[in-house]
Amino acid sequence: SESMSALCLMMGVIGVAVGAPTGCDVCADVREEYCSIWPTHPLCSTESCGFAWDEEKKQCVVVGETNDGVSTTAGPIIGGQGKYRYQYMPDLLQPPTGAEMANCHGLSVDAHENIILTYQHTGADPHCIIKWNPDGTGGEFGANDTANPALCSGTPHGLKITTEGDTQYLYHANNAKILAKTTLEGEVVWIKDGPFGQDMACGPDMCPANSCKCPAGQAPYIPTWFATPPNTKYMYLCDGYGSDRVFAFESATGEYMNKSWGGRSPAGLVPGVPGARAAPHGLFMENHGCTYDPRPTTEPNTIVVSDRRNMRFEFFHYNPDAPDTFEWYKTADMSDQLGPATLPCNMRMTFGSKFNPSMGGISVVPDLNGPVAVLDSNHQVLSVINVSVLLKDEQQMHPHDAIFLANGDIVVGTWAPGRVSYWKLLPTDDGEISEQ
């Protein structure tokens, strides 16, 4: 998972205090997992770790890599193509003093269009929620996110926002087996630490091709993201780094509904396997992100699952009236669009707090390998922002989540190391902001 691999790239991840490491001492335990995601990376073909400690940045950096992108001193940094070109705004989304972001994992927008980030800290910073104004200024910590220490412990990962009555809530999925519902300021409504009542027996199909381990016969459980449809009292959890199952919950109470679907693809957990579209539907190689899809271009009552190492998105029907349905009906294979090494983390299609029909059903997809793509309603690429190339000087290498704002701008959060960037949508040739 990113949370383990990030230990190789940042100091003190998961609350571990690291003094002044030399070489790659702090990275040795997770190098193998990093290379399982990027097996063709040059550092994976050598016996040396491939990382060195940067004392100024307080993080491990890849040895020998130089900037081959666009220098931040060479003028405006612009990415994307056609109607969807974006300018990087380096002065926006500045973290508050004291924030130490090991990994920037999940993004949401509240009803007032404020931007909310959940992040994994390095150990010295007790927080995990930052909120900015709609224009990307004024970053502040969640006022109550440290009241329950469990919320920001471990690896805060997935974040979704819902409106229930007149109140908005955040739903958190933490890799350290922690699920929580909070207010926008981080005050805990309910929290579950550890298994929640699911079947934890490790059956013969749980870890095909030796793709995971079952300590003491228990199934792996490392949750990644919730899908929170607005027309039902139920929500759906993706166990993306664990069992690759999807679990149904009642939103108000966090009660598990004793319904689950999915599991791991027969090939195990191997990135870049050819023929993703032919893999069994409804089985996953890292069901990383789960998102409600409000677009009229998809069928009603749809949840999109990012089947990351299968390089695809799987589309499922759910039943708003009962937690008894999670039925596959179509697939979008991203290896055709973004290349055979793509690792699509998520798909987002709302603009700020709402779905905007005038935007033609486009979506934004962060790819852990470096780009952020804008797709049309048929899941074809319209534009690509090469974040890892354009912002290499700033170590913005691995986009993990991305959202549209109400004005069409894009916010990107990156993993290993944690960064967040604001991309302003540029006017088209006729001077108008792009709509379809």
Side-chain angles (χ1 to χ4, degrees), residues 326-340:
F326 204 79
E327 183 180 56
W328 172 87
Y329 73 90
K330 75 171 183 177
T331 294
D333 184 353
M334 288 294 99
S335 65
D336 290 348
Q337 293 292 305
L338 295 174

Side-chain angles (χ1 to χ4, degrees), residues 90-110:
D91 294 333
L92 299 181
L93 299 178
Q94 293 299 308
T97 301
E100 296 188 7
M101 302 182 298
N103 295 293
C104 292
H105 278 145
L107 292 158
S108 285
V109 176
D110 70 15

